[in-house]
Amino acid sequence: MNGVLIPHTPIAVDFWSLRRAGSARLFFLSHMHSDHTVGLSSTWARPLYCSPITAHLLHRRLQVSKQWIRALEVGESHVLPLDEIGRETMTVTLIDANHCPGSVMFLFEGHFGTILYTGDFRYTPSMLKEPALTLGKQIHTLYLDNTNCNPDLVLPSRQEAAHQIVQLIRKHPQHAIKIGLYSLGKELLLEQLALEFRTWVVLSPRRLELVQLLGLADVFTVEEEAGRIHAVDHMEVCRSTMVYWNQTRPTIAILPTARKIHRSHPGIHVIPYSDHSSYSELRAFVAALKPCQVVPIVGRQPCGGYFQDCLSPRLFVPLIPDSVQRHMSSSSRKLSLLRLLKRRLKRPRTQGVVFESPEQSADRSQADRDSKKAKKGKLSPWPEDLQKLPSHHPLQIKKQLFPDLCSKEWNGAVPFCESQKRVTILTAPLGFSVHLKSTGEEVPSPETRKVVSLGPPLAPREVDGGPAASGNQSSWKGCGSPLPHNSKTTSSLAAEFRGLALKYLLTPVNFFLAGYSSRSFDQLVEKYHQPLLRYRQESTE
């Protein structure tokens, strides 16, 4: 798990263990890779801040309720409260991390100084031109992605690695190409390969939904026989699948990664295409920022003394404002009390034989018999007592026999919920609204009553003869709100969940192929190759 609790603050980044979170109150997610979402699931019930694309993926893939997601616009500054009364605030700015769709760096500014959390990132010199980093700010603490922080590991740039992949594919003109990828990332590489070799790239429906969200070129499809290049899960690239693929057509597999992988088949090729910064890039990044200290994000691979000559003098430890300190300590006390209560409830009973004196045993057995008689007399009246009761409606008899269970406000109906309406919880004073492409659902923005659109609506088709629920109200049902007692509403909820489960099973292939005409594909390829043709003509002249 790669996540941190920032000292002297209520801030947690990529850290989802509430048992160990202590006084953390503000939770941030840098991107959706699994090693940064350990512990994050559909049961999460606290405000969570991330980029708009990550917000979409977080709801669709981990089923986190939209009422807890706060999407913040990338490249803009946002003010968030650090205590319950809003006296102390901080500013957070999201910067593109150049790692995977939705990945961002967080720049925090407040009583604690200035902190930059990179998350996973691939450094480019354009990052230093971000307005938040060009104002001469002193970075006090830099949380650095040290995945490739090793002087002995020399990596090419992503452009150079992509060129190696292109040359490898050209050496196998009759082969099918399998690109082994993780569930998120390297979509731009696939787009480049499709335009370079004038072929469709075959994707899974899940990844096709993502590339549509990113607004990439229309060179992707789900039809198996449409293209020569197939994007597959990296776990599929092994000896057995290579033997199976080559039985029908000559096939090679490419794994674009900087990790050391054992090649179990001669048709598997590992190309060092990495979404993490190389050692030389990390050195250039730290030397340009000159932080006071560098804290590695990947704990199992420390940075050592690689950046000591790039650091600025250390400053004093910041003082925590009283309101923030009270807020952090009160939350930690609540968590400690809850943990103590759970520990007592789970404490095992003492096993063994307990010896008592005959007098104590007799007194205790007599007391138990008396208490049982009293309970029996209170809960189970004798027949003559029932005859004394007036012969009214059975509900009135039930109220007289069970006064604790039947209150005046009940009136015979089970009070499962008071309202069916959706409630939006807003906590922070300032925010922005973001609209994504091809959207229909809404998520509350962090600080205003505007909403952030998060993707195609989840309303299902008609199931069991009943129409699907329409509007935003149906898409919010089941996201932390109590179930209504109405039987019609319950059946519509069940139909909706069945529709969600069958989303891709019932979606025709023609839906995904819509908009991907051969004419638009040819135009994209021609536009991509025009600069190359001009360059070749000029070079021959």
Side-chain angles (χ1 to χ4, degrees):
M1 179 180 67
N2 295 328
V4 297
L5 298 172
I6 299 181
H8 314 296
T9 73
I11 302 173
V13 189
D14 296 342
F15 193 96
W16 313 109
S17 175
L18 292 179
R19 183 179 60 84
R20 299 189 294 118
S23 58
R25 305 293 290 172
L26 297 173
F27 295 86
F28 296 83
L29 175 61
S30 64
H31 63 290
M32 274 293 294
H33 278 163
S34 59
D35 56 334
H36 291 256
T37 60
V38 176
L40 186 57
S41 66
S42 59
T43 60
W44 184 262
R46 293 194 179 190
L48 183 157
Y49 300 90
C50 59
S51 68
I53 294 179
T54 300
H56 173 88
L57 299 174
L58 183 62
H59 174 67
R60 296 301 291 266
R61 297 191 176 183
L62 295 185
Q63 287 77 49
V64 175
S65 176
K66 290 185 287 186
Q67 73 179 99
W68 303 114
I69 301 175
R70 309 289 192 268
L72 303 179
E73 180 61 41
V74 180
E76 298 184 5
S77 298
H78 309 265
V79 178
L80 301 178
L82 290 173
D83 53 21
E84 295 177 349
I85 59 178
R87 178 182 301 173
E88 290 292 333
T89 61
M90 76 168 183
T91 301
V92 56
T93 305
L94 280 64
I95 303 173
D96 185 9
N98 192 32
H99 176 69
C100 70
S103 61
V104 293
M105 299 185 286
F106 293 108
L107 181 66
F108 302 106
E109 300 173 82
H111 70 270
F112 41 79
T114 304
I115 297 174
L116 179 61
Y117 179 91
T118 66
D120 290 348
F121 84 118
R122 184 73 193 253
Y123 168 73
T124 59
S126 61
M127 291 179 176
L128 301 176
K129 299 179 182 179
E130 290 290 334
L133 298 178
T134 56
L135 299 178
K137 298 177 182 177
Q138 175 63 61
I139 305 296
H140 300 123
T141 304
L142 173 63
Y143 287 89
L144 187 66
D145 172 22
N146 58 315
T147 302
N148 295 329
C149 187
N150 184 0
D152 299 330
L153 180 61
V154 179
L155 295 177
S157 65
R158 286 198 289 198
Q159 291 77 11
E160 296 172 348
H163 180 70
Q164 294 180 23
I165 295 176
V166 169
Q167 295 300 321
L168 176 62
I169 296 177
R170 284 178 177 169
K171 292 179 181 179
H172 300 81
Q174 304 301 325
H175 286 64
I177 309 299
K178 305 290 184 179
I179 309 292
L181 304 175
Y182 293 96
S183 61
L184 185 66
K186 298 181 176 65
E187 287 76 17
L188 292 176
L189 172 63
L190 298 178
E191 181 188 45
Q192 180 181 351
L193 295 178
L195 296 174
E196 180 71 31
F197 293 98
R198 304 170 185 264
T199 180
W200 297 93
V201 173
V202 180
L203 306 178
S204 65
R206 187 178 185 181
R207 190 179 284 270
L208 180 62
E209 179 186 4
L210 174 62
V211 297
Q212 289 176 340
L213 178 69
L214 299 176
L216 299 180
D218 296 339
V219 293
F220 303 99
T221 181
V222 294
E223 188 177 351
E224 288 291 331
E225 302 299 328
R228 177 188 173 196
I229 300 177
H230 291 224
V232 299
D233 187 87
H234 71 287
M235 296 298 293
E236 293 186 44
V237 181
C238 59
R239 181 177 180 80
S240 59
T241 53
M242 289 297 298
V243 172
Y244 172 76
W245 288 330
N246 279 275
Q247 288 178 355
T248 56
R249 181 180 177 181
T251 303
I252 63 170
I254 300 175
L255 293 174
T257 178
R259 297 183 178 182
K260 295 182 179 179
I261 297 179
H262 173 67
R263 294 178 54 192
S264 57
H265 189 275
I268 299 177
H269 302 268
V270 180
I271 304 296
Y273 186 102
S274 180
D275 289 326
H276 298 268
S277 302
S278 64
Y279 174 76
S280 59
E281 292 169 344
L282 293 177
R283 285 278 305 177
F285 184 64
V286 177
L289 292 180
K290 295 187 182 341
C292 297
Q293 63 174 336
V294 175
V295 179
I297 293 177
V298 184
R300 62 181 179 273
Q301 186 173 337
C303 294
Y306 297 144
F307 307 108
Q308 291 297 325
D309 57 334
C310 303
L311 302 182
S312 297
R314 294 288 296 271
L315 301 179
F316 59 90
V317 178
L319 297 177
I320 306 177
D322 294 338
S323 59
V324 179
Q325 195 167 4
R326 286 194 300 268
H327 183 53
M328 296 169 59
S329 60
S330 63
S331 61
S332 61
R333 281 199 301 269
K334 292 177 182 178
L335 291 175
S336 62
L337 290 176
L338 289 176
R339 286 197 295 268
L340 180 61
L341 179 60
K342 290 181 180 180
R343 192 177 303 150
R344 288 185 177 180
L345 292 176
K346 293 181 180 180
R347 183 179 298 172
R349 296 181 179 179
T350 304
Q351 298 180 356
V353 180
V354 179
F355 295 94
E356 296 181 352
S357 62
E359 294 82 2
Q360 292 178 348
S361 178
D363 294 341
R364 180 169 298 179
S365 60
Q366 183 64 29
D368 292 342
R369 285 194 296 269
D370 294 340
S371 63
K372 288 180 180 179
K373 287 182 179 180
K375 292 181 180 179
K376 187 175 182 181
K378 183 181 296 184
L379 297 178
S380 303
W382 295 101
E384 54 269 18
D385 296 333
L386 288 175
Q387 294 176 1
K388 297 178 182 179
L389 294 174
S391 58
H392 296 298
H393 194 274
L395 180 59
Q396 298 179 0
I397 299 177
K398 188 174 183 180
K399 287 183 178 181
Q400 296 181 25
L401 295 180
F402 304 96
D404 296 335
L405 300 180
C406 302
S407 61
K408 295 181 180 180
E409 293 79 11
W410 184 22
N411 294 326
V414 182
F416 285 107
C417 63
E418 297 179 359
S419 174
Q420 301 292 332
K421 297 181 179 179
R422 171 167 62 94
V423 178
T424 302
I425 301 176
L426 304 175
T427 56
L430 181 63
F432 304 85
S433 64
V434 183
H435 299 277
L436 301 180
K437 184 179 179 181
S438 302
T439 60
E441 298 172 350
E442 296 178 347
V443 169
S445 66
E447 289 78 37
T448 66
R449 296 185 184 275
K450 298 180 181 180
V451 293
V452 178
S453 186
L454 281 188
L458 297 182
R461 299 180 178 85
E462 295 186 1
V463 181
D464 296 339
S470 62
N472 293 333
Q473 182 177 355
S474 64
S475 64
W476 282 82
K477 289 178 181 177
C479 299
S481 60
L483 290 176
H485 65 277
N486 193 318
S487 61
K488 294 182 179 180
T489 308
T490 305
S491 62
S492 66
L493 282 174
E496 181 175 358
F497 291 138
R498 288 197 297 271
L500 288 174
L502 299 177
K503 174 177 175 58
Y504 290 114
L505 296 179
L506 300 181
T507 303
V509 175
N510 294 334
F511 169 79
F512 297 104
L513 297 179
Y516 304 119
S517 63
S518 59
R519 176 179 296 180
S520 62
F521 180 83
D522 295 338
Q523 291 176 352
L524 288 171
V525 173
E526 183 179 357
K527 182 178 179 181
Y528 174 80
H529 286 274
Q530 280 179 354
L532 298 178
L533 293 176
R534 287 197 300 267
Y535 174 76
R536 292 171 182 173
Q537 291 176 358
E538 294 175 357
S539 60
T540 55
E541 293 177 357

